[in-house]
């Protein structure tokens, strides 16, 4: 920092003695603005897609300010990314595998789609062997099965009853597109994420920390207490925002669900602080990705897992494009509701 200030000051005219303090303050102000530009970027990917990126580990803004509170929750080594689709609220859809199909790479879900759309990870699904239902039934033969209802296949697994109250539905004109959990914001209000043993990856038994038996429960939320890479979708006024927090696969740099809820509460609401803002957490970890599909090409903006790894095959994806219609009288056609 000192060298940077010195470099900038050396480019300024030699000041009279009495103005030296003023020039130092000016240099410090320039450096602070430069650091903000390096850590926080906002750009248009085209006319109706706005990308926001925050690089973790920065201290920006006055103590207690919104930007300071937001940045303090993103660790060094983590990156928060948001794509806002202006006027996209009636153009949200979910595309996924049919009954008996296995998970697919995100690009394969899009087939020959020619539209320019923002694309992100969808809901929970059976992604590996060893997962089970609440009854204890193993799901080794159910790879790809979504947890909760979707619009793309008839078969799905029931939501575990211990977590059902936190699950939400992403719906369009009354049709369920997918179900996931937890709901992070509902009608403008942040929803508290419980912190009891049902939401802890490790529990204390006889004064010893042990892995939670619910860790293998398909659709369980024991991952809430652990740091992880995260994804969410939010709706506010006429717009849709897709959010990710990625760490290059180092989960220790991620965030707990409670912190993720706080980050989304800072970033999801519109300038009007809209009471119709809602947000839903989506599948995390290596399933996380955020892309733009344009001219048949899928450009990855952010992804979970190691940077050199391919995108994980998933059961479904969420797509959204700007609307050409006037939504002023119909901006609730896509909604997030508790199930």
């Amino acid at each position: 920092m000192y060298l940077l200030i010195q470099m900038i000051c050396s480019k300024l005219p030699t000041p009279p003695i009495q103005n030296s303090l003023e020039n130092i303050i000016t240099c410090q102000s320039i450096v602070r603005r430069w650091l903000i530009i390096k850590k926080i970027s906002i750009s248009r990917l085209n006319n109706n897609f706005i990308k926001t990126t925050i690089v973790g580990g920065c201290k920006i803004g006055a103590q207690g300010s919104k930007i300071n509170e937001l940045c303090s929750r993103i660790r060094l080594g983590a990156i928060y990314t948001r794509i806002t689709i202006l006027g996209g609220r009636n153009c949200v859809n979910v595309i996924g595998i049919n009954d008996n199909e296995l998970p697919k790479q995100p690009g394969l879900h899009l087939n020959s789609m020619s539209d320019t759309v923002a694309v992100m990870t969808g809901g929970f699904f059976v992604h590996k062997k060893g997962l089970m239902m609440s009854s204890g039934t193993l799901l080794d033969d159910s790879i790809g099965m979504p947890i909760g209802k979707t619009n793309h296949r008839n078969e799905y697994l029931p939501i575990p009853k211990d977590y059902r109250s936190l699950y939400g539905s992403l719906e369009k004109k009354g049709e369920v597109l997918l179900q996931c959990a937890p709901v992070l914001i509902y009608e403008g209000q942040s929803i508290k994420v419980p912190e009891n043993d049902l939401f802890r990856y490790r529990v204390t038994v006889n004064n010893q920390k042990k892995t939670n038996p619910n860790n293998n429960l398909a659709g369980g939320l024991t991952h809430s207490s652990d740091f992880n890479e995260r994804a969410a979708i939010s709706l506010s006024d006429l717009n849709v925002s897709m959010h990710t927090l990625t760490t290059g696969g180092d989960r220790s740099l991620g965030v707990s669900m409670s912190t993720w809820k706080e980050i989304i509460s800072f970033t999801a609401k519109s300038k009007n602080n809209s009471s119709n803002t809602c947000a839903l957490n989506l599948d995390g970890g290596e399933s996380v990705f955020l892309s733009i599909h344009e001219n048949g090409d899928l450009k990855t903006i952010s992804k979970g897992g190691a940077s050199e790894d391919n995108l994980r095959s998933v059961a479904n994806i969420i797509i959204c494009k700007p609307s050409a219609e006037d939504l002023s009288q119909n901006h609730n056609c896509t909604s997030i509701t508790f199930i």
Side-chain angles (χ1 to χ4, degrees):
M1 173 68 78
Y2 172 76
L3 291 176
L4 187 58
I5 293 174
Q6 188 179 53
M7 181 183 70
I8 293 174
C9 288
S10 68
K11 303 297 182 182
L12 297 176
T14 302
I17 297 295
Q18 63 268 27
N19 291 333
S20 59
L21 179 60
E22 181 180 337
N23 270 10
I24 290 173
I25 293 172
T26 299
C27 291
Q28 290 175 330
S29 176
I30 293 171
V31 170
R32 281 195 293 269
R33 287 198 296 269
W34 179 83
L35 288 173
I36 291 173
I37 292 170
K38 296 293 288 185
K39 294 290 187 178
I40 301 177
S41 65
I42 301 174
S43 59
R44 283 186 179 267
L45 301 180
N46 63 33
N47 287 337
N48 293 297
F49 294 94
I50 299 177
K51 174 188 171 186
T52 303
T53 302
I54 302 176
V55 178
C58 59
K59 295 182 179 179
I60 294 173
Q63 187 72 27
S65 66
K66 180 177 178 179
I67 189 64
N68 180 268
E69 291 291 310
L70 170 59
C71 291
S72 69
R73 286 163 170 76
I74 304 171
R75 287 182 173 83
L76 179 66
I79 299 176
Y80 166 81
T81 308
R82 179 186 67 189
I83 292 180
T84 297
I85 303 95
L86 301 177
R89 192 149 180 172
N90 74 340
C91 294
V92 178
N93 201 5
V94 169
I95 301 173
I97 56 177
N98 297 319
D99 291 341
N100 301 314
E101 281 190 324
L102 292 174
K104 296 179 181 178
Q105 283 276 304
L108 296 179
H109 284 286
L110 295 165
N111 294 320
S112 57
M113 178 180 288
S114 58
D115 290 346
T116 298
V117 294
V119 190
M120 78 176 307
T121 186
F124 303 144
F125 65 100
V126 180
H127 64 285
K128 65 178 183 179
K129 292 184 177 182
L131 298 182
M132 62 183 184
M133 297 176 63
S134 299
S135 63
T137 302
L138 280 175
L139 297 167
D140 290 358
D141 296 325
S142 301
I143 301 297
M145 187 83 77
I147 315 301
K149 296 179 181 179
T150 67
N151 67 337
H152 58 85
R153 62 184 284 164
N154 296 315
E155 297 176 345
Y156 63 90
L157 290 172
I159 295 164
K161 60 182 172 68
D162 286 338
Y163 301 99
R164 186 176 176 85
S165 64
L166 292 174
Y167 266 73
S169 290
L170 178 65
E171 300 182 1
K172 183 177 180 180
K173 297 179 180 177
E175 176 194 14
V176 173
L177 301 180
L178 61 73
Q179 295 177 328
C180 205
V183 175
L184 301 173
I185 303 174
Y186 184 68
E187 294 183 346
Q189 300 298 312
S190 296
I191 305 301
K192 180 176 174 58
V193 180
E195 297 181 358
N196 58 51
D197 281 355
L198 284 172
F199 301 87
R200 294 193 179 104
Y201 197 82
R202 296 166 188 82
V203 293
T204 302
V205 180
N206 297 326
N207 295 321
Q208 291 185 331
K209 286 286 186 181
K210 295 189 176 181
T211 57
N212 194 326
N214 280 354
N215 291 348
N216 291 325
L217 183 62
L221 297 175
T222 59
H223 56 80
S224 294
S225 63
D226 268 27
F227 297 152
N228 205 353
E229 298 174 289
R230 304 285 180 185
I233 184 170
S234 66
L235 315 172
S236 190
D237 291 335
L238 310 181
N239 305 325
V240 175
S241 290
M242 297 176 169
H243 313 254
T244 65
L245 186 133
T246 54
T247 64
D250 186 345
R251 293 192 174 191
S252 68
L253 302 178
V255 292
S256 68
M257 194 66 73
S258 292
T259 301
W260 184 228
K261 183 239 345 188
E262 292 171 351
I263 290 172
I264 298 303
S265 295
F266 281 122
T267 59
K269 294 181 181 180
S270 69
K271 291 181 179 179
N272 300 325
N273 205 28
S274 178
S275 62
N276 69 7
T277 298
C278 295
L280 182 65
N281 180 67
L282 299 168
D283 201 7
E286 293 181 19
S287 294
V288 172
F289 78 93
L290 182 55
S291 304
I292 295 291
H293 180 266
E294 187 173 18
N295 298 323
D297 181 49
L298 189 67
K299 179 183 178 183
T300 301
I301 305 298
S302 65
K303 67 177 290 295
S307 58
E308 65 271 16
D309 291 346
N310 293 327
L311 296 179
R312 172 184 274 177
S313 294
V314 292
N316 51 44
I317 59 175
I318 301 174
I319 65 171
C320 184
K321 64 180 181 179
S323 175
E325 302 176 17
D326 178 8
L327 302 183
S328 58
Q329 303 302 316
N330 186 30
H331 60 263
N332 287 319
C333 48
T334 302
S335 61
I336 293 170
T337 62
F338 283 99
I339 63 171

